[in-house]
């Protein structure tokens, strides 16, 4: 593999383009925004979504998905709720067996499907893989050490992809459980909003730790109910990603929770934000999915209810703390 295409010119897509370029791949980055294309090509910077981070001069940007059709591998980084339409537009340019690595994290509203299911329906001829793990775009783009999960059912394809994108500071670990990898990445975004609310309300570090731990139980139950493995979500793509995104206001989802916990409305919390907080869109879908699976997820339920305006922050907190006592599991 010598060439890579990255679909999505946001902060994470740009960071992954940077990773691929540092790994020695010839990289084309597709962005929806003309100003991103212009800035990357003319000034080697994504001043809209990742300002202040110099990009590798070899990265080329385009606004035409057809320019990615001849790539050896594709990283799909469009937001989860827009992935279906983006992949549908790209489908006519895809050859049989093209590796497409899904880097978006979320559950699709309406269909309640994971991103691998969306890919299977839009580009069934692709070879799927999932990239997930604790990774802030700015840190990855600047070359700080990062480890992620690369999940792929084809061991040979996984090894080829890993060798293609690995750098001295970006280390993929292999797995074959794509469902577990996806579930961890999707559900942790909802839980990050919850931890932000805890922080914004000043409820203390003990409450913060308890929420992460009990949230991880919810994440694991959903992943296993979907057919994933508990061992997978105990790794980088589950527990690792959860710890990171629930521990820093750099997390877009936690920052939304911080604003809600501080008394802002959802509209105020989202105002002026260019980057997508996937947990806001995924929360209602995660709630519906858990109910469909018969899985108890009180924290995810509470977040979805707060975001929908069905309950206030303080009432949601009281509701969680007044649940019947039970065995920890």
């Amino acid at each position: 593999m010598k060439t890579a295409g990255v679909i999505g010119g946001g902060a994470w897509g740009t960071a992954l383009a940077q990773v691929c370029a540092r790994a020695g791949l010839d990289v084309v980055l597709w962005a929806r925004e003309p100003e991103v294309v212009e800035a990357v090509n003319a000034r080697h910077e994504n001043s809209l979504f990742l300002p202040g981070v110099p990009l590798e001069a070899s990265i080329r940007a385009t606004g035409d998905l057809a320019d990615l059709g001849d790539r050896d591998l594709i990283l799909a980084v469009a937001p989860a709720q827009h992935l279906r339409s983006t992949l549908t537009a790209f489908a006519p340019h895809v050859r049989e067996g093209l590796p497409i690595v899904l880097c978006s994290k979320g559950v699709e509203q309406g269909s309640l499907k994971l991103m691998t299911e969306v890919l299977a329906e839009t580009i069934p001829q692709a070879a799927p893989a999932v990239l997930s793990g604790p990774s802030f775009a700015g840190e990855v783009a600047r070359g700080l050490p990062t480890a992620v999960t690369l999940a792929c059912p084809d061991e040979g394809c996984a090894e080829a992809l890993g060798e293609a994108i690995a750098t001295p500071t970006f280390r993929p670990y292999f797995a074959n459980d794509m469902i577990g990898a996806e579930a961890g990445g999707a559900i942790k975004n909802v839980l990050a909003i919850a931890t932000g609310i805890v922080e914004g309300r000043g409820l203390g570090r003990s409450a913060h730790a308890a929420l992460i731990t009990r949230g991880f139980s919810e994440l694991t139950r959903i992943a296993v109910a979907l057919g994933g493995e508990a061992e997978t979500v105990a790794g980088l793509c589950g527990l690792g990603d959860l710890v990171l995104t629930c521990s820093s206001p750099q997390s877009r989802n936690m920052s939304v929770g911080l604003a809600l916990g501080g008394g802002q409305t959802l509209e105020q919390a989202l105002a002026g934000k260019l980057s997508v907080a996937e947990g806001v869109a995924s929360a209602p879908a995660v709630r519906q999915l858990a109910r469909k699976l018969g899985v108890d997820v009180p924290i995810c339920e509470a977040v979805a209810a707060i975001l929908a305006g069905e309950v206030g922050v303080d009432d949601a907190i009281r509701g969680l703390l007044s649940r019947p006592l039970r065995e920890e599991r």
Side-chain angles (χ1 to χ4, degrees):
M1 295 184 180
K2 299 185 182 301
T3 64
V6 179
I7 298 177
W12 186 220
T14 304
L16 288 173
Q18 186 92 314
V19 167
C20 291
R22 287 181 179 140
L25 297 173
D26 178 79
V27 183
V28 176
L29 170 68
W30 175 84
R32 187 182 305 276
E33 302 83 2
E35 60 268 39
V36 171
V37 174
E38 191 276 334
V40 171
N41 289 333
R43 301 187 296 279
H44 310 302
E45 179 186 15
N46 186 339
S47 50
L48 186 63
F49 293 108
L50 205 60
V53 179
L55 301 180
E56 298 291 324
S58 61
I59 298 172
R60 293 176 289 123
T62 181
D64 187 351
L65 282 168
D67 292 338
L68 276 62
D70 64 347
R71 304 280 94 185
D72 295 331
L73 67 98
I74 296 292
L75 301 177
V77 204
Q81 305 308 324
H82 300 286
L83 186 67
R84 182 180 294 274
S85 61
T86 305
L87 291 179
T88 298
F90 183 51
H93 312 293
V94 176
R95 67 184 181 277
E96 185 74 28
L98 174 67
I100 296 184
V101 185
L102 297 162
C103 308
S104 306
K105 300 173 181 179
V107 176
E108 187 178 46
Q109 290 182 338
S111 72
L112 306 183
K113 292 181 177 178
L114 297 173
M115 301 300 100
T116 49
E117 296 174 283
V118 173
L119 176 62
E121 292 177 359
T122 54
I123 311 181
Q125 70 271 32
V130 172
L131 182 73
S132 187
S135 46
F136 283 146
E139 295 180 353
V140 172
R142 290 193 295 272
L144 298 180
T146 304
V148 295
T149 298
L150 178 61
C152 182
D154 184 321
E155 184 177 337
C157 183
E159 292 179 356
L161 287 169
E163 291 174 2
I165 66 174
T167 74
T169 59
F170 190 83
R171 180 178 177 83
Y173 283 82
F174 301 130
N176 58 16
D177 176 18
M178 293 196 298
I179 294 176
E182 283 194 280
I187 298 159
K188 62 92 185 180
N189 285 329
V190 180
L191 298 169
I193 296 174
T195 54
I197 292 171
V198 166
E199 290 291 305
R201 265 301 192 262
L203 300 183
R205 305 310 297 172
S206 300
H208 184 270
L211 193 146
I212 290 177
T213 307
R214 296 308 302 155
F216 180 63
S217 294
E218 295 186 14
L219 184 158
T220 303
R221 288 196 292 270
I222 293 180
V224 170
L226 285 168
E229 300 172 9
E231 182 180 6
T232 304
V233 295
L236 290 163
C237 59
L239 181 59
D241 208 359
L242 180 68
V243 169
L244 178 69
T245 200
C246 291
S247 302
S248 170
Q250 285 188 66
S251 161
R252 291 167 290 185
N253 295 285
M254 186 175 179
S255 69
V256 170
L258 281 165
L260 294 172
Q264 293 185 26
T265 65
L266 179 59
E267 291 72 21
Q268 291 170 329
L270 296 177
K273 294 185 184 297
L274 292 173
S275 297
V276 175
E278 294 278 21
V280 175
S282 290
V286 168
R287 174 165 66 169
Q288 288 180 268
L289 180 61
R291 289 176 177 178
K292 178 181 176 182
L293 295 169
V295 176
D296 185 34
V297 290
I299 298 171
C300 290
E301 286 265 4
V303 172
I306 291 170
L307 294 175
E310 299 167 2
V311 65
V313 167
D314 290 331
D315 285 339
I317 293 168
R318 278 191 290 270
L320 288 171
L321 293 175
S322 61
R323 283 167 53 83
L325 300 179
R326 48 169 283 186
E327 179 184 356
E328 183 179 16
R329 63 180 187 274

